[in-house]
Amino acid sequence: MTIQIDKKEFELLLEYDQIEKNIRLIGIQINVAYEKRLPVFISVLNGSFMFAADLLKEIEIGCEISFVKLASYQGERQSEQIKNLIGLNMSLQDREVIILEDIVESGNTLKQVIELVKKEKPASVAVCTLLLKPAALQHDFDEIAYVGFEIENEFVVGYGLDYNGLGRNLKDIYRLKREIP
Ligand code: IMP
Ligand code: MG
């Protein structure tokens, strides 16, 4: 099955059934690992909204969730890029944090998110990502504890992930097949 977004053709990579199944397995692991620890999920928007919604339905232990965005703005000096987590409306001090990501490619974004979360002095930080592109990773992370799927280094859309803002609503995940002439 293929779909078209703008001038690009995408083909089916992961069906929702499979996605649901792997999310259920992650849920079971988190329920066991975090029992009585009252974790805080930090869902990194926009991409992780669907994953967060489905995963949280599998969490049966007490937990909280906060939705954040990684924002960057110019600092005092021209060269300075300051990163900030916007939307964090609670203290993470001494909390068990689980960062929810849609996808980790180079890991640059995740590295910044982890650094910003750690500044809040949490008791622990783990990362749960639906997708991971191992071949594209440029950093070593001890924090990545839960991965839905490892995929090839190729562009994907659907289930929260977008191409130029489009495709986030797709229930399945598709990979880029070709440019339509
Ligand atoms: P990284 O910083 O290179 O790990 O890239 C992370 C961000 O790039 C993700 O949060 C996504 O927003 C975006 N991204 C990376 N790969 C894809 C993809 O295949 N489809 C859609 N967005 C992607
Ligand atoms: Mg993202």
Side-chain angles (χ1 to χ4, degrees), residues 101-109 133 154-156 161-162:
E101 269 285 11
D102 51 352
I103 189 163
V104 177
E105 191 176 55
S106 69
N108 290 336
T109 310
K133 298 181 184 176
E154 55 194 358
F155 192 81
V156 295
L161 292 141
D162 73 304

Side-chain angles (χ1 to χ4, degrees), residues 131-176:
L131 304 174
L132 176 70
K133 298 181 184 176
L137 255 189
Q138 288 176 23
H139 309 274
D140 284 329
F141 291 104
D142 295 329
E143 294 89 352
I144 301 180
Y146 308 98
V147 177
F149 299 89
E150 292 192 353
I151 62 169
E152 300 287 305
N153 193 7
E154 55 194 358
F155 192 81
V156 295
V157 293
Y159 198 73
L161 292 141
D162 73 304
Y163 168 64
N164 279 349
L166 298 170
R168 292 194 198 276
N169 53 309
L170 297 164
K171 196 168 177 178
D172 307 305
I173 293 175
Y174 296 80
R175 68 158 159 239
L176 181 60

Side-chain angles (χ1 to χ4, degrees), residues 35-162:
E35 201 188 352
K36 304 202 178 94
R37 290 168 69 184
L38 209 73
V40 185
F41 291 93
I42 299 291
S43 168
V44 185
L45 296 175
N46 292 323
S48 69
F49 75 98
M50 259 196 213
F51 176 44
D54 280 346
L55 177 65
L56 269 278
K57 284 178 265 182
E58 303 296 332
I59 302 301
E60 294 168 348
I61 56 172
C63 67
E64 293 180 64
I65 185 164
S66 186
F67 296 88
V68 303
K69 269 194 174 185
L70 185 63
S72 66
Y73 56 95
Q74 208 79 51
E76 296 265 293
R77 273 172 260 116
Q78 270 285 310
S79 57
E80 212 175 25
Q81 274 282 4
I82 298 177
K83 300 279 181 180
N84 192 13
L85 280 185
I86 56 175
L88 187 65
N89 54 0
M90 61 187 295
S91 168
L92 299 181
Q93 193 171 347
D94 301 324
R95 299 298 303 269
E96 313 261 6
V97 173
I98 304 174
I99 296 170
L100 297 182
E101 269 285 11
D102 51 352
I103 189 163
V104 177
E105 191 176 55
S106 69
N108 290 336
T109 310
L110 180 63
K111 191 166 182 282
Q112 289 165 345
V113 172
I114 291 173
E115 275 168 19
L116 290 166
V117 164
K118 285 189 172 170
K119 277 191 187 156
E120 307 293 317
K121 309 213 183 319
S124 68
V125 180
V127 173
C128 173
T129 184
L130 178 67
L131 304 174
L132 176 70
K133 298 181 184 176
L137 255 189
Q138 288 176 23
H139 309 274
D140 284 329
F141 291 104
D142 295 329
E143 294 89 352
I144 301 180
Y146 308 98
V147 177
F149 299 89
E150 292 192 353
I151 62 169
E152 300 287 305
N153 193 7
E154 55 194 358
F155 192 81
V156 295
V157 293
Y159 198 73
L161 292 141
D162 73 304

Side-chain angles (χ1 to χ4, degrees), residues 1-3 10-13 170 172 174 177:
M1 197 184 128
T2 65
I3 56 160
F10 291 86
E11 65 185 356
L12 186 62
L13 177 65
L170 297 164
D172 307 305
Y174 296 80
K177 193 177 172 198

